[in-house]
Amino acid sequence: MKKNLLLLLSLTFAIAVILSGCGKSEEEAKKDNDAKNTQEEQGQEKEHSDKNEEDKKEEEPTKESADITSLISYMEEETQGTAKVLYENKEPQVHKMEDVSISLDSYSLVELKDFHTDFAIPFNDETNGGVILAKYTVKNDMDKDVYYMPSLDITYTGAPKYYTNYKDLIPEDQQLPTKLNYQTGYELKAGEEVTGYIAYPFGESHLAKINELGTVTVMVPLPITEKDKYDTSIGSEGRFNLAINAQGSEKVSSNAAFYQDKATMDNMGEKKMLKEKSNINDSKPIGDVNAVLEGYQFTTFTPNEVEAPRFSNFTNGVTLLTVKFKLDNKTTSEIGLSSLSSKLTVNDGTQYLLDEGMLLNYGYKDVIKAGETGELLQIYVLDQEQYEKIWKDKAFEIELGPIRNQGAEDISKGKKATFILPK
């Protein structure tokens, strides 16, 4: 009897263990299945969330465009006008002045209409017009402080005035002239970099004019190394050419192929290449300066309406000859680029023309320092008909010199050099 009872108990216990084990497996399987479903749901949610984040990032404007957007919104609110972006460019332009550089990082031409009469004066007494919003960065890579007044004025062919910053259009703390100002002496510390905006207003009539031209020019001033001592300036003055519509963009691109004389840089008219030659490398000494003829360009030139009176004597059309030299200054004095002159002889030596310094961008501060090498352009205005019918197949001979310093004093003892343009 005891034996049967023990057998029954053992059998019952075994069945209980089996049933318990089966029940546990089903429960664990259910838990595993639930966990798997939860992980899949979480994965789908994460994937959906990641996708939303990516979409959001794609939809979010860049910081720069957000800055421009906020500036435009501020301008609308301040002026009670309505703004619309007409053209923008985000390709930077950089001008170096030794170890100090300034870059035009980006700019936008914004139409501003129906604004309050309180803002009319800088808009040529009109209540419709436009604003160029330009972003600049000034960087000092020198090991000492410099002083930089950001008088980055805009001009164009036939401009009645210089266009400068109007401080009431955008927040003052965003403006470059606020960050570099007279209270701090325009100081830019060694290694310092400053970024800010300038707002240039144009009345409706002036806006129409620059739209017709397609480009405007920003004049880049020089830094000085001693406060308030403007004779301590370094580098050469520069220019930024700003296209303000599609036509202007094409103009800026095409102008890049030409030597940067005043006719090109100031958009004085249309150039068309007739003949050019580069990498000539004809070297001749002029005293202690080594002059190298590097290249030349013959172009037909059609002046625009504003510049046409300057070329009124050329009734048969205008051909420009721009010649590029490299000067290696081995003297102990600087070379003043605005002081140099040359003579072009044509028609087998029977006629000659002098260089046209007024068609070059050199100023008093443009020099090649002692021991340094720099570029020199010379330009000549030719009668197009005589060029085509008589001169173009004959020799062109250029006499360069003497070399002069910044004060126009002869530093080559009257010496000159003659170059013949190769065919």
Side-chain angles (χ1 to χ4, degrees), residues 36-63:
K36 183 179 179 183
N37 289 339
T38 301
Q39 287 175 352
E40 288 177 355
E41 288 173 2
Q42 289 175 344
Q44 289 172 354
E45 287 177 3
K46 185 177 185 303
E47 183 179 350
H48 183 68
S49 175
D50 290 345
K51 188 174 186 305
N52 285 343
E53 286 296 320
E54 288 176 7
D55 291 342
K56 186 178 179 181
K57 285 179 181 178
E58 289 177 4
E59 291 173 3
E60 285 178 352
T62 62
K63 185 178 187 300

Side-chain angles (χ1 to χ4, degrees), residues 234-391:
I234 56 174
S236 298
E237 293 179 347
R239 297 186 175 211
F240 294 134
N241 284 329
L242 283 63
I244 58 165
N245 52 35
Q247 171 195 340
S249 180
E250 291 177 7
K251 178 72 173 175
V252 170
S253 297
S254 64
N255 278 352
F258 300 113
Y259 292 148
Q260 299 301 292
D261 52 38
K262 198 176 184 70
T264 299
M265 288 290 289
D266 288 4
N267 193 19
M268 295 173 67
E270 294 292 329
K271 275 186 174 182
K272 181 180 179 182
M273 193 75 75
L274 290 175
K275 181 182 179 181
E276 68 174 324
K277 195 172 185 66
S278 57
N279 300 317
I280 298 172
N281 296 323
D282 183 10
S283 176
K284 297 181 186 297
I286 308 178
D288 291 329
V289 173
N290 189 45
V292 182
L293 171 62
E294 292 199 321
Y296 64 82
Q297 293 179 339
F298 285 95
T299 58
T300 58
F301 179 67
T302 305
N304 58 36
E305 182 181 353
V306 173
E307 299 295 340
R310 184 185 295 209
F311 300 90
S312 59
N313 291 335
F314 294 86
T315 56
N316 299 316
V318 177
T319 295
L320 297 180
L321 167 60
T322 309
V323 184
K324 180 180 177 182
F325 292 95
K326 180 174 69 176
L327 302 182
D328 183 7
N329 185 6
K330 298 179 180 179
T331 74
T332 58
S333 175
E334 78 289 337
I335 297 173
L337 295 178
S338 64
S339 301
L340 297 187
S341 60
S342 59
K343 182 175 74 173
L344 173 70
T345 302
V346 297
N347 198 16
D348 295 331
T350 62
Q351 296 172 273
Y352 72 89
L353 304 91
L354 298 179
D355 69 286
E356 292 287 346
M358 296 298 291
L359 292 180
L360 295 171
N361 284 312
Y362 299 133
Y364 179 75
K365 295 287 188 179
D366 293 313
V367 300
I368 300 173
K369 293 184 177 179
E372 296 185 0
T373 299
E375 177 187 282
L376 169 71
L377 295 179
Q378 294 287 274
I379 186 170
Y380 313 89
V381 183
L382 316 179
D383 179 275
Q384 186 174 337
E385 185 176 55
Q386 290 190 72
Y387 170 77
E388 290 290 346
K389 293 182 178 180
I390 304 173
W391 299 343

